[in-house]
Amino acid sequence: MASYNGALYIKEQIESILPQLSREDELIIVDDRSTDNTKEIISAIPDNRIKLYQNTSNKGVVKSFEEAVRLAGNEYIFLADQDDIWTKNRMEKMLHVIQRYSVMLVTGNMVAIDKRGNRSKKTFDRLQAKDSCNYMLNISRIFGGKASYYGCAMAFKRELKEVILPFPKYMESHDTWIAMAANLLKSNVHLEYTVLEHRLHGNNVTKSHRKLGKRLHSRILFARALGELSIRIIRYRIIQGGE
């Protein structure tokens, strides 16, 4: 989890996660120099599975998640936003899928809630299980901004870190970076189950319409990322073949 000025909702999110963890699991939180009492709220929760780290400077959400992933040492890594709520049995269901199909990445779906926790009218395009292996189609949908890959709905094997880390400085979204890597590796599954309630509020509601210049810039970055990932995967396979 990456946190930044999340005092309003982070306790509720943590309380939805902790009951799903085993004694050997850990909840790694990288705080991005919050200026409210987020760190104090986290520290007050009496659970030694919570590992709180703080950036040396404000680095933004992508770099904060990169650090959290880097610090994760267990076999399976789940991403979580600070203001969402995990659904019951999310971890169990996602672990079952990732182990059953022996894949690196599983991504579920989500529903929207408002700042009070009530179900919102906002809807998200849902991932379909039948498209899991349509790897090039999935990548093309990412390119078109029409693929519902959200980091907060993802779980992946630690092995994937060898390809995705470090996140490129130019990447706008760690979500699509991770999804592209798994699809290029042909190791991706869509879980149709709803794995979280995604809270929409004034600080995280994004504009759906971007100016043409920004859209074109994003496509250029996408092509750059695709090329870089392809090279990384070649290197990864060479290393794996030599072991």
Side-chain angles (χ1 to χ4, degrees):
M1 182 188 296
S3 66
Y4 179 71
N5 290 353
L8 283 176
Y9 307 113
I10 196 166
K11 186 173 186 289
E12 185 176 9
Q13 166 67 317
I14 292 173
E15 289 177 343
S16 77
I17 294 173
L18 290 177
Q20 302 192 38
L21 304 185
S22 71
R23 292 182 179 179
E24 293 75 29
D25 292 329
E26 56 186 1
L27 173 55
I28 294 172
I29 304 176
V30 174
D31 185 76
D32 198 26
R33 307 297 296 184
S34 290
T35 57
D36 64 1
N37 63 331
T38 295
K39 299 187 298 297
E40 288 75 16
I41 291 172
I42 297 169
S43 298
I45 300 174
D47 196 308
N48 59 16
R49 293 172 298 180
I50 299 174
K51 313 295 183 184
L52 177 61
Y53 301 86
Q54 187 173 51
N55 288 335
T56 55
S57 62
N58 184 266
K59 297 182 179 181
V61 64
V62 173
K63 283 299 177 182
S64 296
F65 268 112
E66 177 185 8
E67 180 64 7
V69 171
R70 186 188 68 79
L71 290 166
N74 288 346
E75 182 65 21
Y76 301 102
I77 300 169
F78 288 71
L79 301 185
D81 286 354
Q82 65 181 3
D83 39 18
D84 295 337
I85 301 174
W86 278 20
T87 56
K88 292 182 179 180
N89 302 319
R90 168 199 167 132
M91 176 174 274
E92 178 183 353
K93 289 180 180 295
M94 296 185 81
L95 279 177
H96 173 74
V97 170
I98 204 169
Q99 292 169 350
R100 177 183 177 185
Y101 295 100
S102 189
V103 292
M104 289 194 184
L105 173 70
V106 58
T107 309
N109 289 295
M110 60 189 191
V111 295
I113 56 174
D114 62 22
K115 61 184 180 180
R116 295 181 178 84
N118 299 316
R119 186 64 61 89
S120 169
K121 294 181 180 179
K122 164 74 176 179
T123 59
F124 302 98
D125 291 337
R126 295 182 69 83
L127 293 173
Q128 302 294 322
K130 63 182 178 62
D131 294 327
S132 297
C133 298
N134 292 332
Y135 306 115
M136 296 313 298
L137 176 62
N138 293 334
I139 291 172
S140 69
R141 285 175 174 169
I142 294 172
F143 179 79
K146 296 182 179 179
S148 296
Y149 287 109
Y150 297 97
C152 53
M154 289 179 174
F156 54 90
K157 293 184 69 174
R158 181 178 58 192
E159 185 181 354
L160 190 58
K161 290 170 59 173
E162 298 177 33
V163 174
I164 64 175
L165 294 184
F167 294 164
K169 293 181 180 179
Y170 58 81
M171 274 302 297
E172 296 178 316
S173 166
H174 61 283
D175 315 60
T176 53
W177 172 255
I178 295 170
M180 282 193 294
N183 276 285
L184 285 171
L185 286 162
K186 297 182 178 180
S187 192
N188 170 69
V189 165
H190 300 163
L191 175 63
E192 294 189 8
Y193 180 76
T194 297
V195 299
L196 78 148
E197 297 176 338
H198 183 60
R199 194 186 305 268
L200 300 175
H201 53 84
N203 294 328
N204 73 349
V205 176
T206 57
K207 295 180 180 180
S208 58
H209 300 290
R210 305 176 73 187
K211 292 183 179 180
L212 178 60
K214 289 187 176 181
R215 293 204 303 270
L216 290 174
H217 180 65
S218 294
R219 300 302 181 267
I220 293 170
L221 295 182
F222 174 90
R224 183 179 176 185
L226 196 60
E228 182 169 342
L229 274 172
S230 298
I231 293 171
R232 289 193 189 191
I233 288 171
I234 290 171
R235 292 173 179 168
Y236 166 77
R237 285 173 172 161
I238 290 172
I239 294 171
Q240 292 295 308
E243 292 181 352

